[in-house]
């Protein structure tokens, strides 16, 4: 199983530390902790989001269900991974498959690869075209460098393109100007052997700044439902840099990351005769992104962005090496007195090289694909700027389904400075993945006894043993999944201390993925009936998803803020292949119907903060997942203005619990109770 190896990250961190000591940034530690004070309610509502329309706008002015995880939220939580941070977002479901693999969904369709949720890091898509979804185990950075995480619940395809069907997560990091000086953090605990990270930021000229970071995370195994080690321990190392140039009219960014990791996993292949298999998943890769923004005026700009991404992943399913190059152009400018126009386009080229796994392969083994896109959006201000109508459409051309059109119509009415109503109608598509078009694999084997009459040979016993192999084939004629989404929301500042946000939605899905049965092949050999049941990737399912999401922020006192959220979700799927399609329609049973989260943030004194997180997740009866309550706490003490010590614990109400059933062969582990301590130093 996984064996720890010598890492260069602690050495890189130490070098960064020595460099920082040699060239200190005076007073940086004190300024940093002052900046990280909890945002007041008024300041939070003034935070601008850009993920809704690629245009900065305040939360109250956006015609979408928006939730922002701020830099202070990240620090106060004590969580050390992005998926854990997302638990507090209403409507998001986070379920640990094992110690390093979460299944994340928004408004339904949870799975090992949740294929209807687009994830971006500084505008760079990390959605893999191999299986559709996100490899969350490699989506990491130094969390203290994250400025905010913008979560849009609902379609974002008219701006971001295909696969932004049920939501968009945009992780936005701070500029290097905001991270001057040094920072070192380390923690140990019952699950984490150790985590060590360091960052240093400096200034080369008055306009040009930079930062370097390195991080190592070494974690232990969870246990499975029988109390055995899940052999899912591992280690991930990463590092990177960012440079920013800023003048009166130009903003230029150059940034990049490299990573390497190895983690264990237990696979359940009893169905295909291999039993339980332990394997190590090896990953490595890197990316380089550049962005130039030309500001012509406060409401007029031109932005050019380009990135290159390389990834390599070796596991028992399929080994893959992928290269992606992407360019994007966005232009914003006012039109007449009441219109704000945003338009742009882009091109993406991606290629892969795969090799056969234990039970699956891709045919052909190598493939290259291209994607072209154009979009235009008009924001029209009416009724003395109290009513804003947004009309937009994105055109994309891909190598699987050809042309795709994704329009949206949104409106927000500022009833007053404290209350707004919004509504939206949008179309979004999820284009086929490489696997859905080209996979060839075995997904199961069944031993049974059947009547001998099925083969029609004389002189045989009435019943014979049978072995049936279940195979899966991709479909080059597979079309895009289609969604029409209808949303209605209210945002209101009820008082100086209370803000509420309510969203209702109805999603109409067509051409959903299904596994349609093909002809069964039956042969007879040595007294055993051999059968092969094949399934074809297809689009024979439709469905409806509907629900509501609610959250509030209440400032109980200057030193105490409470955020609470809840959601209700119902998903109903239909198939046109027979009366029942358990291999496809079962997706409606993957997500809990009810979820609740409560976060209490207390400033007990100038030096002590105390945070508690309470979660409730409804049971999933057909998946045999029981409901559970989860309580997480964190206590932090500022030893000096630039040195902070904290202790945190998760899942205090339960020793361990499962959050998802076995997903496509991966033996799921139970999420345990954990305790860890951390030391953070700004200098």
């Amino acid at each position: 199983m996984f064996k720890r190896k010598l890492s260069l990250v602690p050495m890189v961190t130490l070098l960064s530390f020595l460099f920082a000591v040699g060239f200190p940034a005076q007073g940086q530690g004190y300024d940093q902790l002052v900046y990280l004070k909890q945002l007041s309610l008024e300041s939070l509502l003034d935070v601008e989001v850009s993920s809704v329309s690629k245009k900065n706008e305040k939360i109250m002015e956006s015609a979408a269900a928006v939730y922002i995880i701020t830099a202070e939220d990240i620090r106060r939580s004590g969580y050390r991974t992005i998926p854990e941070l997302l638990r507090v977002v209403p409507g998001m479901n986070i379920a640990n498959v094992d110690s390093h693999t979460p299944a994340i969904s928004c408004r339904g369709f949870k799975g090992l690869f949740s294929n209807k949720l687009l994830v971006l890091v500084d505008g760079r898509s990390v959605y893999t075209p191999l299986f559709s979804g996100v490899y969350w185990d490699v989506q990491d950075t130094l969390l203290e460098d994250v400025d905010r995480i913008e979560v849009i619940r609902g379609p974002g395809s008219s701006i971001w393109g295909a696969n932004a069907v049920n939501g968009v997560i945009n992780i936005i990091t701070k500029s290097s100007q905001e991270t001057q000086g040094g920072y070192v953090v380390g923690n140990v605990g019952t699950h984490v052997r150790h985590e060590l990270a360091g960052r240093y930021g400096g200034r080369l000229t008055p306009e040009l700044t930079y930062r370097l970071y390195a991080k190592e995370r070494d974690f232990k195994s969870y246990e499975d439902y029988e109390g055995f080690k899940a052999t899912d321990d591992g280690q991930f190392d990463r590092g990177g840099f960012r440079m920013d140039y800023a003048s009166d009219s130009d903003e230029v960014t150059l940034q990049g990351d490299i990573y390497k990791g190895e983690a264990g996993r237990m696979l359940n292949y009893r169905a295909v005769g291999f039993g339980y298999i332990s394997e190590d998943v090896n990953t490595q890769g890197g990316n380089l992104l550049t962005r130039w923004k030309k500001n012509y005026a406060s409401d007029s700009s031109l932005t050019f962005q380009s990135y290159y991404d390389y990834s390599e992943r070796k596991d028992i399913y399929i080994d893959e090496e992928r290269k992606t190059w992407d360019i994007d152009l966005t232009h914003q400018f006012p039109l007449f007195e009441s219109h704000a126009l945003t338009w742009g386009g882009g091109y993406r080229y991606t290629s892969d090289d795969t090799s056969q796994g234990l039970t699956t392969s891709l045919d052909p083994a190598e493939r290259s694909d291209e994607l072209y896109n154009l979009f235009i959006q008009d924001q029209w201000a009416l009724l003395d700027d109290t009513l804003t109508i947004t009309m937009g459409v994105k055109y994309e051309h891909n190598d699987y389904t050809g042309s795709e059109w994704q329009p949206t119509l949104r409106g927000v009415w500022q009833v007053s400075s404290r209350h707004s109503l919004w509504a939206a109608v949008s179309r979004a598509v999820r284009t086929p993945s490489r696997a859905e078009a080209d996979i060839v694999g075995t997904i199961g084997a069944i031993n049974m006894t059947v009547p001998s009459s099925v083969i029609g040979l004389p002189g045989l016993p009435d019943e014979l043993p049978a072995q049936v192999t279940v195979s899966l084939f991709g479909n080059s004629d597979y079309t895009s999944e289609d969604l029409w989404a209808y949303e209605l929301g209210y945002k209101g500042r009820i008082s100086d201390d209370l803000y509420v946000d309510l969203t209702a939605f109805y999603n109409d899905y067509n051409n959903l993925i299904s596994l349609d049965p093909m002809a069964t092949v039956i042969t007879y050999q040595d007294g055993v009936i051999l059968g092969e049941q094949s399934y074809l990737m297809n689009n024979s399912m439709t469905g409806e998803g509907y629900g509501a999401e609610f959250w509030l922020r209440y400032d109980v006192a200057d030193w105490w803020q409470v955020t609470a959220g809840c959601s209700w979700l119902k998903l109903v799927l239909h198939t046109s292949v027979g009366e029942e399609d358990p291999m496809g329609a079962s997706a409606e049973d993957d997500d809990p119907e009810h979820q609740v989260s409560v976060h209490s943030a207390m400033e007990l004194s100038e030096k002590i903060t105390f945070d508690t997180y309470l979660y409730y997740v409804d049971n999933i009866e057909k998946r045999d997942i029981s409901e559970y309550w989860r309580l997480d706490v964190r206590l932090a003490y500022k030893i000096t203005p630039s040195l902070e010590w904290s202790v945190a614990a998760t899942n205090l109400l339960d020793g361990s619990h499962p959050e998802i059933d076995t997903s496509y062969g991966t033996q799921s582990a139970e999420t345990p109770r954990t305790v860890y301590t951390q030391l953070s130093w700004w200098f």
Side-chain angles (χ1 to χ4, degrees), residues 30 35 127 179 321 335 459 461 489 493 499 537 585:
Y30 176 78
Y35 169 77
Y127 184 99
T179 53
E321 180 182 354
L335 185 66
R493 190 171 179 181
Y499 170 81
M537 291 280 189

Side-chain angles (χ1 to χ4, degrees), residues 118-280:
L118 185 67
V119 181
L120 309 161
V121 179
D122 288 324
R124 174 177 58 88
S125 174
V126 296
Y127 184 99
T128 173
L130 178 63
F131 285 108
S132 290
V134 176
Y135 290 119
W136 280 103
D137 52 1
V138 298
Q139 307 311 324
D140 195 12
T141 187
L142 182 60
L143 293 182
E144 286 75 11
D145 287 347
V146 176
D147 179 68
R148 65 190 184 277
I149 301 175
E150 297 180 1
V151 181
I152 312 301
R153 307 183 307 280
S157 294
S158 64
I159 288 293
W160 298 106
N163 310 320
V165 177
N166 282 357
V168 178
I169 299 173
N170 196 3
I171 302 160
I172 301 171
T173 62
K174 301 172 185 175
S175 74
S176 56
Q177 297 170 339
E178 300 174 281
T179 53
Q180 295 292 283
Y183 174 71
V184 174
V185 60
N187 68 67
V188 296
T190 57
H191 173 56
V192 177
R193 291 190 182 97
H194 68 267
E195 180 182 313
L196 180 63
R199 172 248 290 158
Y200 179 75
R203 187 177 297 273
L204 299 176
T205 70
E207 297 85 13
L208 182 60
T209 56
Y210 70 91
R211 72 163 173 260
L212 306 169
Y213 84 92
K215 179 178 181 180
E216 178 189 69
R217 186 167 180 265
D218 191 335
F219 51 90
K220 305 175 185 177
S221 287
Y222 282 0
E223 293 181 350
D224 63 19
Y225 66 95
E226 294 179 337
F228 295 105
K229 291 289 185 182
T231 61
D232 55 352
D233 56 332
Q235 178 178 299
F236 288 94
D237 304 335
R238 65 187 306 115
F241 76 97
R242 174 163 174 163
M243 301 181 68
D244 291 279
Y245 172 85
S247 66
D248 292 338
S249 60
D250 295 277
E251 301 173 36
V252 181
T253 297
L254 178 65
Q255 64 187 79
D257 306 271
I258 56 173
Y259 64 86
K260 185 174 184 180
E262 182 178 8
R265 181 168 58 183
M266 180 68 74
L267 302 176
N268 181 0
Y269 272 110
R270 291 178 299 172
V272 289
F274 294 108
Y276 288 101
I277 299 175
S278 295
E279 70 145 349
D280 289 338

Side-chain angles (χ1 to χ4, degrees), residues 505-667:
F505 65 90
Y506 176 81
N507 290 342
D508 184 10
Y509 299 96
N510 288 285
N511 300 321
L512 289 173
I513 184 174
S514 62
L515 303 183
D516 293 354
M518 303 168 66
T520 302
V521 178
I522 299 176
T523 59
Y524 178 69
Q525 180 178 338
D526 299 330
V528 178
I529 296 176
L530 302 178
E532 182 177 356
Q533 175 64 66
S534 299
Y535 287 85
L536 179 71
M537 291 280 189
N538 211 348
N539 300 89
S540 60
M541 282 180 42
T542 60
E544 303 87 41
Y546 49 92
E549 299 147 356
F550 171 80
W551 68 275
L552 64 83
R553 158 80 180 264
Y554 179 46
D555 290 354
V556 183
D558 292 341
W559 54 274
W560 186 12
Q561 294 84 36
V562 174
T563 304
C566 62
S567 63
W568 169 65
L569 171 68
K570 189 68 176 178
L571 190 63
V572 181
L573 302 181
H574 320 280
T575 177
S576 60
V577 182
E579 297 182 357
E580 185 178 2
D581 179 16
M583 304 200 66
S586 59
E588 68 183 21
D589 304 319
D590 286 336
D591 292 85
E593 187 172 343
H594 303 281
Q595 293 189 101
V596 177
S597 66
V598 181
H599 172 213
S600 168
M602 295 182 175
E603 299 274 353
L604 299 180
S605 71
E606 292 184 357
K607 293 187 175 183
I608 301 175
T609 60
F610 182 61
D611 289 79
T612 59
Y613 296 81
L614 180 65
Y615 305 100
Y616 168 76
V617 179
D618 202 359
N619 72 308
I620 308 177
E621 184 176 354
K622 293 185 179 180
R623 295 297 193 184
D624 197 26
I625 302 297
S626 301
E627 65 178 10
Y628 64 86
W629 290 88
R630 169 171 165 164
L631 177 64
D632 303 344
V633 300
R634 177 181 181 266
L635 180 68
Y637 175 69
K638 294 179 183 177
I639 302 173
T640 70
S642 59
L643 184 65
E644 182 183 73
W645 169 82
S646 63
V647 61
T650 66
N651 201 27
L652 285 177
L653 302 179
D654 189 5
S656 63
H657 63 262
E659 296 183 346
I660 192 173
D661 66 337
T662 299
S663 299
Y664 187 52
T666 301
Q667 183 68 19

Side-chain angles (χ1 to χ4, degrees), residues 444-502:
I446 304 171
N447 294 320
M448 63 179 69
T449 301
V450 300
S452 60
S453 59
V454 299
I455 58 174
L457 294 178
L460 296 178
D462 292 340
E463 293 185 337
L464 289 173
Q467 297 177 355
V468 180
T469 301
V470 183
S471 300
L472 176 65
F473 294 92
N475 185 354
S476 59
D477 294 327
Y478 184 88
T479 63
S480 294
E481 296 184 317
D482 181 281
L483 164 71
W484 277 99
Y486 307 88
E487 301 174 276
L488 183 66
Y490 164 76
K491 303 174 183 181
R493 190 171 179 181
I494 307 303
S495 68
D496 291 342
D497 304 318
L498 177 62
Y499 170 81
V500 299
D501 190 308
L502 175 63

Side-chain angles (χ1 to χ4, degrees), residues 37 81 191 305 322 502 505:
K37 292 286 287 182
T81 65
H191 173 56
Q305 177 178 284
R322 179 169 295 278
L502 175 63
F505 65 90

